[in-house]
């Protein structure tokens, strides 16, 4: 992105108030600086007073010029800073000062900067090839070599070097240092164990820096031993979607790169093509460990915090009761490894038979999260996620099998249909078939409430019945069920803005049930743009259509009954409004951010999310009449943002990601996620709101999962500011978009950067 365009984005962001951390209308705060010799700095004789120069740069206003100051080691220095977050750096002859990160409020503060004895390193770039130019800037990242005693190590840091023609030089703290040389768009170069002497210049020669993308990182072992020459680091392209076990083996042998590690456990892949990759490390006797990495054009991808950790192999054992299926055959089991950071999974085993005693085990697994599925005859009986963090993990699966017999009726007529207990996408999916008389028989893994998908060809019907109660009979006989679908009819056609029949379109119907739950049914249009929906629930139903090229219709609300068919319904497809934008941070564009936009005052049948690309860019599609939106922005590595925004009449949106973040802890006297139809938890911030389910998905993607507590929800990585959590009833949700406040119990508080805000919600019935 050109600098001028980026600057315009940042200026727009500032005018809209996207500069968290700045206290409005506050005057500058006095800051007193003092300078001292670092504790443990080796061979640092007491010197006469020396001059110090420095600068302060605002995190909240990154496009603002830095503030400079000067002073000396005897009397210190003074400066005035606006409230907010600042980075302060300083330099002096023969000294390197550790930078400070300050949170400036309205009260005067005094801080001390630690100075380390310093020397100089110097080098040169190789002669540029024809058609290319030498870098105009270079940075040196440093840290003490592992051989340096802990008491005399210096903090790891960075120095900006002075570049003149093909040569450069910069000041670094004295000692034995590991160095990384990095310039924009170039592959980093390394030198290890370089000795920097106080007051002297160390010539490093020519540093071979080349263009391209790089993956680099560190490998550590669980027992603290150093990785050996047997350690292998492999890189292979990440396939989109789930992988079967055979496909996984093929990818390990095709299109993969391999390297080793140096004695410090460091590895690097140079000139890697942009894309998504799986990074694997193996070294006997440890288990193979892996992670997903995203490579951007001419960027460095680091696997540093945390490093790749080689741990000892794990064992998973599963014990199942009853040991066999209801018909006496063996269960089958599938196991997948989950990776939350990439949202992917890879098959370890598929369809493996369990012993007739109900026992199954597998050795040699790497630590991490796994998902296993128990199946029989095309039905999935049990799904469970398990964390392998000890030498052996044993899981007990106790199925409370219940036999079910019943009938399916459409109105008063029997309906031959295919049934799926658990619904279309349920973690449990038990299949059954109703015959010409509408009768069916099956077994279920448990009693309780089930979602049931009913599919029929004649009449054409595809509907999920949201809540079917299944109770065990007292005498041990099969449980009798009746699935009664109302004989409702909705018929019509879908047209474009010119009134012509839509060749392709998807019609969605959302029924609001009496207990507050919603059911959705979708069908595709037939010849002439016609559609037919039968067996929908009686009551209010929202009807809409989506077509090719990002076309949607307005939402039409119907009142359905069995005795009155809704015919001749016309849904008109209209082109969506497209709104582009960028997400940027202090260090540049932010790729991989999830952006959710909810239009205000415009009825929609669903809300989609988009992801920012490598340049931080994204594009939203909203109904043509949309003027304002509620935005929820989840940039990886930054704080989740919520804001209410008026869409610009022209030009892109400019949204800022800020690393400042805190943790929200919601506590209640009853489960936060209740039964369908009950009041739900909604969080308000920045003029916008977000439901608990979305916040929990953000928490799962940004932190290590812990054992859930129904009455507690921990949401990490939220931007600082004022928050309000409320119990909100279903009939209030539509009013939220119109700006109506919730009537239920609410509690408020302020989240500070790096802090934790605890909000106690009590219960749903509080006055």
């Amino acid at each position: 992105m050109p600098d001028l365009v980026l600057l315009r984005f940042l200026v727009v962001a500032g005018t809209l108030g996207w500069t968290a951390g700045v206290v409005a209308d506050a005057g500058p705060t006095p800051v007193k600086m003092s300078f001292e010799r670092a504790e443990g700095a080796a061979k640092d004789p007491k010197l006469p007073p020396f001059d110090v120069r420095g600068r302060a740069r605002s995190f909240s206003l990154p496009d603002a010029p830095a503030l400079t100051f000067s002073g000396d080691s005897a009397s210190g220095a003074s400066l005035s800073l606006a409230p907010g977050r600042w980075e302060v750096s300083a330099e002096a002859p023969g000294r390197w000062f550790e930078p400070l990160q300050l949170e400036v409020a309205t009260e005067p503060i005094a801080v001390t900067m630690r100075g380390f004895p310093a020397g100089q390193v110097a080098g040169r770039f190789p002669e540029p090839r024809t058609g290319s130019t030498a870098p105009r800037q270079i940075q040196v990242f440093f840290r003490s070599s592992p051989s340096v005693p802990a008491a005399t190590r210096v903090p790891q840091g960075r120095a900006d070097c002075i570049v003149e023609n093909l040569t450069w030089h910069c000041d670094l703290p004295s000692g034995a240092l590991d160095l990384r040389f990095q310039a924009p768009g170039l592959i980093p170069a390394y030198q290890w164990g370089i000795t920097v002497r106080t007051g002297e210049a160390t010539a490093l020669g020519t540093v071979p820096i080349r263009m391209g993308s790089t993956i680099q990182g560190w490998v550590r072992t669980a027992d603290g031993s150093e990785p050996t020459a047997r350690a292998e680091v492999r890189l292979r392209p990440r396939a989109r979607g789930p992988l079967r076990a055979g496909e996984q083996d093929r990818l390990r042998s095709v299109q993969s790169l391999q390297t080793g590690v140096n004695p410090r456990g460091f590895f690097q892949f140079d000139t890697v093509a942009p894309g998504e990759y799986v990074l694997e490390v193996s070294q006997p006797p440890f288990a193979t460990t892996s992670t997903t990495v995203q490579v951007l054009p001419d960027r460095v991808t680091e696997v540093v915090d945390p490093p790749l950790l080689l741990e000892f192999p794990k064992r998973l054992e599963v014990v199942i009761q009853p040991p066999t299926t209801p018909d006496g055959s063996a269960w089958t089991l599938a196991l997948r490894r989950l990776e939350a950071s990439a949202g992917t999974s890879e098959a370890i085993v598929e369809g493996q038979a369990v012993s007739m005693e109900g026992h199954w085990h597998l050795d040699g697994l790497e630590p991490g999260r796994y998902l296993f599925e128990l199946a029989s005859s095309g039905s999935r009986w049990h799904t469970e996620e398990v964390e392998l963090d000890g030498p052996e993990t044993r899981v007990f699966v106790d199925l409370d099998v219940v036999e079910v017999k019943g009938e399916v009726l459409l109105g008063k007529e029997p309906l031959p249909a295919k049934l799926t207990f658990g619904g279309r996408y349920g973690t449990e999916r038990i299949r059954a078939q109703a015959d010409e008389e509408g009768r069916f028989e099956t077994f279920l893994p448990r009693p309780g409430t089930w979602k049931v998908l009913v599919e029929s060809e004649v009449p054409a019907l595809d509907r999920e019945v949201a809540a079917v109660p299944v109770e065990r009979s007292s005498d041990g006989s099969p449980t009798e069920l009746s699935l009664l679908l109302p004989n409702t009819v909705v018929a019509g056609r879908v047209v474009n803005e010119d009134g012509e029949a839509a060749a392709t379109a998807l019609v969605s119907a959302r029924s609001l049930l009496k207990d507050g739950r919603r059911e959705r049914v979708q069908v595709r249009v037939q010849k002439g743009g016609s559609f037919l929906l039968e067996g929908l629930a009686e009551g209010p139903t929202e009807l809409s259509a989506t077509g090719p090229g990002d076309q949607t219709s307005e939402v039409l609300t119907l009142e359905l009954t069995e005795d009155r068919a809704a015919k001749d319904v016309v849904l008109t497809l209209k082109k969506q409004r497209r709104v582009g934008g960028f997400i940027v941070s202090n260090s540049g564009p932010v790729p991989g951010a999830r952006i959710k936009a909810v239009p205000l005052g415009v009825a929609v049948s669903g809300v989609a999310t988009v992801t920012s690309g490598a340049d931080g860019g994204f594009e939203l599609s909203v109904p043509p009449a949309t003027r304002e939106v509620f935005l929820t922005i989840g940039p990886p590595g930054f704080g989740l943002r919520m804001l209410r925004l008026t869409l610009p009449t022209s030009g892109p949106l400019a949204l800022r990601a800020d690393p400042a973040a805190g943790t929200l802890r919601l506590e209640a006297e009853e489960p936060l996620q209740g039964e369908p139809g009950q009041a739900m938890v909604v969080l308000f911030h920045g003029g916008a709101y977000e439901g608990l389910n979305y916040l929990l998905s953000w928490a799962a993607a940004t932190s290590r999962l812990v054992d859930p507590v129904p009455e507690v929800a921990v949401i990490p990585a939220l931007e600082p500011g004022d928050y309000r959590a409320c119990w909100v009833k279903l009939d209030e949700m539509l009013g939220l978009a119109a700006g109506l406040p919730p009537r239920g119990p609410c509690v408020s508080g302020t989240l500070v950067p790096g802090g934790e805000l605890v909000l106690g919600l009590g219960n749903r019935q509080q006055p």
Side-chain angles (χ1 to χ4, degrees):
M1 182 188 303
D3 290 345
L4 182 59
V5 176
L6 177 58
L7 179 60
R8 180 163 63 88
F9 284 168
L10 298 180
V11 171
V12 172
T15 61
L16 290 177
W18 302 330
T19 52
V22 177
V23 179
D25 301 325
T29 298
V31 178
K32 177 64 176 176
M33 311 287 300
S34 61
F35 309 96
E36 70 175 16
R37 170 182 176 272
E39 289 294 331
K43 298 180 181 179
D44 183 19
K46 186 172 182 62
L47 296 176
F50 51 86
D51 293 333
V52 178
R53 296 179 302 167
R55 64 180 182 176
R57 185 175 295 278
S58 170
F59 280 102
S60 304
L61 299 172
D63 51 332
L67 301 178
T68 60
F69 63 89
S70 61
D72 59 63
S73 58
S75 57
S78 298
L79 64 160
S80 296
L81 301 178
R85 299 176 60 241
W86 294 82
E87 181 182 65
V88 180
S89 58
E91 58 185 25
R95 290 288 186 279
W96 175 83
F97 286 95
E98 183 179 7
L100 290 180
Q101 308 237 339
L102 303 181
E103 288 288 345
V104 180
T106 57
E107 295 296 324
I109 58 176
V111 295
T112 299
M113 300 193 72
R114 298 194 304 158
F116 293 79
Q120 188 180 90
V121 294
R124 62 177 290 109
F125 296 115
E127 292 287 343
R129 295 181 179 180
T130 303
S132 62
T133 59
R136 297 181 179 179
Q137 56 180 302
I138 185 173
Q139 294 175 326
V140 178
F141 295 80
F142 59 84
R143 66 179 180 181
S144 293
S145 299
S147 59
V148 176
T152 57
R153 291 182 183 178
V154 298
Q156 62 184 32
R158 180 195 73 191
D160 297 318
C161 300
I162 298 174
V163 179
E164 298 174 348
N165 297 324
L166 293 177
T167 64
W168 52 266
H169 62 87
C170 48
D171 293 333
L172 301 181
S174 304
L177 304 176
D178 290 341
L179 306 179
R180 182 181 81 192
F181 307 92
Q182 192 166 317
L186 302 181
I187 296 173
Y190 292 81
Q191 291 193 13
W192 310 96
I194 299 299
T195 299
V196 179
R197 294 180 174 85
T198 302
E200 297 182 13
T202 301
L204 301 178
T206 300
V207 178
I209 301 182
R210 297 170 291 144
M211 295 191 65
S213 300
T214 303
I215 297 175
Q216 62 187 34
W218 302 82
V219 178
R220 297 287 182 262
T221 61
D223 61 1
S225 61
E226 294 293 336
T228 68
R230 292 187 298 166
E232 294 183 351
V233 186
R234 293 177 296 274
L235 187 70
R236 57 180 170 80
R238 158 72 73 186
R240 289 292 181 180
L243 289 177
R244 296 182 178 276
E247 296 170 335
Q248 177 64 32
D249 294 338
R250 182 178 62 82
L251 279 177
R252 283 195 171 98
S253 60
V254 178
Q255 294 182 323
S256 62
L257 302 174
Q258 184 170 314
T259 189
V261 299
N262 71 7
R264 288 172 169 79
F266 177 80
F267 66 88
Q268 179 170 316
F269 290 95
D270 292 344
T271 60
V272 180
E276 193 173 50
Y277 294 84
V278 176
L279 188 65
E280 294 180 332
V281 181
S282 61
Q283 175 189 308
F286 302 101
T288 298
T289 187
S290 62
T291 189
T292 295
V293 294
Q294 185 76 30
V295 178
L296 302 178
D298 298 330
R299 296 279 291 272
V300 178
T301 300
E302 293 189 275
V303 185
V304 176
D305 188 16
L308 288 167
L309 181 64
L310 290 169
E311 298 192 54
F312 292 103
K314 311 299 181 184
R315 173 187 175 98
L316 173 63
E317 184 175 350
V318 180
V319 180
I320 304 163
Q321 184 63 36
T324 61
T325 68
D327 65 3
S329 59
W331 297 106
T332 59
L333 190 143
L335 182 70
R336 307 191 70 87
R337 182 179 179 274
L338 305 177
E339 188 170 344
S341 62
T344 59
S345 65
E346 295 179 359
I348 306 301
V349 296
E350 291 181 315
Q352 194 171 96
V354 177
S355 74
M356 298 301 286
E357 291 75 31
H359 290 179
W360 179 92
H361 73 270
L362 187 63
D363 294 304
L365 296 170
E366 67 177 286
R369 293 169 52 218
Y370 291 81
L371 185 76
F372 73 85
E373 299 175 353
L374 195 64
S376 172
S377 303
S379 292
R380 188 164 64 192
W381 283 68
H382 181 80
T383 300
E384 186 170 340
E385 188 175 311
V386 60
E387 180 89 17
L388 301 189
D389 53 9
E392 179 176 294
T393 300
R394 177 175 291 186
V395 179
F396 294 91
V397 179
D398 293 316
L399 302 177
D400 189 10
V401 179
V402 56
E403 186 178 2
V404 174
K405 294 183 178 181
E407 61 178 352
V408 185
L409 299 176
L410 179 62
K412 298 180 180 180
E413 299 297 323
L415 178 69
K418 181 171 65 175
L419 308 178
T420 304
F421 285 81
R424 196 186 311 272
Y425 305 112
T427 55
E428 303 162 305
R429 290 204 291 270
I430 310 299
R431 306 188 186 281
Q433 180 66 48
D435 59 20
E436 295 297 323
E437 301 299 322
R439 298 293 303 176
F440 68 90
E441 298 181 16
T442 192
F443 290 89
L444 299 178
R446 59 170 177 80
T449 301
W450 287 83
K451 180 184 292 185
V452 183
L453 173 65
V454 182
E455 300 172 280
S456 170
E457 294 184 0
V458 181
L461 191 147
D462 183 333
R463 181 192 164 193
E464 281 189 334
V465 182
V468 176
V470 176
E471 298 179 357
R472 186 182 301 280
S473 62
S474 58
D475 59 2
S477 61
T479 299
E480 289 287 340
L481 289 183
S482 289
L483 297 176
L484 305 177
L485 304 182
N487 192 17
T488 56
V489 176
V490 179
R493 60 194 185 101
V494 180
V495 300
N496 59 27
E497 291 186 87
D498 297 326
E500 300 172 344
T504 59
L506 184 68
V507 178
S508 299
R510 289 204 311 169
S511 301
L512 179 62
L513 306 183
K514 294 180 180 179
D515 61 3
R517 290 178 291 106
R518 291 182 179 272
E519 289 183 351
R520 169 176 281 192
V521 176
Q522 294 182 315
V523 296
R524 296 196 175 275
V525 297
Q526 304 300 312
K527 185 177 181 180
S530 64
F531 66 88
L532 174 66
L533 291 161
E534 296 186 81
L536 298 178
E538 292 186 292
T541 297
E542 296 176 345
L543 201 66
S544 62
T546 57
D550 208 19
Q551 299 180 87
T552 64
S553 74
E554 294 184 352
V555 178
L556 180 65
T557 301
L558 306 173
E559 188 70 28
L560 299 184
T561 61
E562 279 194 294
D563 56 2
R564 186 176 62 187
K567 297 182 178 180
D568 301 324
V569 176
V570 177
L571 299 174
T572 302
L573 296 175
K574 295 182 179 180
K575 189 73 173 178
Q576 292 283 87
R577 179 184 176 186
R578 294 179 177 270
V579 181
F582 287 84
I583 298 182
V584 296
S585 70
N586 289 351
S587 57
V590 179
R594 298 289 287 169
I595 303 102
K596 171 186 171 185
V598 180
L600 275 73
V602 180
V604 292
S605 58
V607 178
T609 58
V610 298
T611 303
S612 61
D615 62 350
F618 63 90
E619 187 175 63
L620 300 172
S621 295
V622 296
T626 303
R627 297 294 177 266
E628 283 188 289
V629 292
F630 290 134
L631 282 181
T632 303
I633 308 161
F638 298 87
L640 180 80
R641 301 199 56 207
M642 298 160 53
L643 63 155
R644 178 172 176 168
L645 180 67
T646 300
L647 297 179
T649 55
S650 61
L653 292 170
L655 304 173
R656 172 159 291 283
D658 195 320
T663 299
L664 173 66
R665 181 182 176 92
L666 298 174
E667 299 178 351
E669 297 173 1
E670 59 180 305
L672 290 165
Q673 294 177 292
E675 297 296 326
Q678 287 187 324
M680 64 186 70
V681 176
V682 176
L683 189 67
F684 296 84
H685 170 73
Y689 64 90
E690 190 56 81
L692 180 60
N693 286 341
Y694 192 92
L695 297 172
L696 290 176
S697 68
W698 166 258
T702 55
S703 64
R704 183 181 179 89
L705 294 179
V706 297
D707 292 335
V709 178
E711 297 82 11
V712 176
V714 179
I715 316 298
L718 294 181
E719 71 169 335
D722 295 331
Y723 286 87
R724 182 166 60 129
C726 301
W727 294 110
V728 178
K729 297 180 179 179
L730 285 177
D731 59 2
E732 297 181 81
M733 291 300 295
L734 292 178
L736 297 183
L740 298 178
R743 300 187 300 270
C746 298
V747 61
S748 303
T750 300
L751 179 63
V752 299
E756 181 180 77
L757 171 63
V758 179
L759 296 179
L761 274 164
N763 59 65
R764 291 174 172 83
Q765 285 73 40
Q766 283 182 325

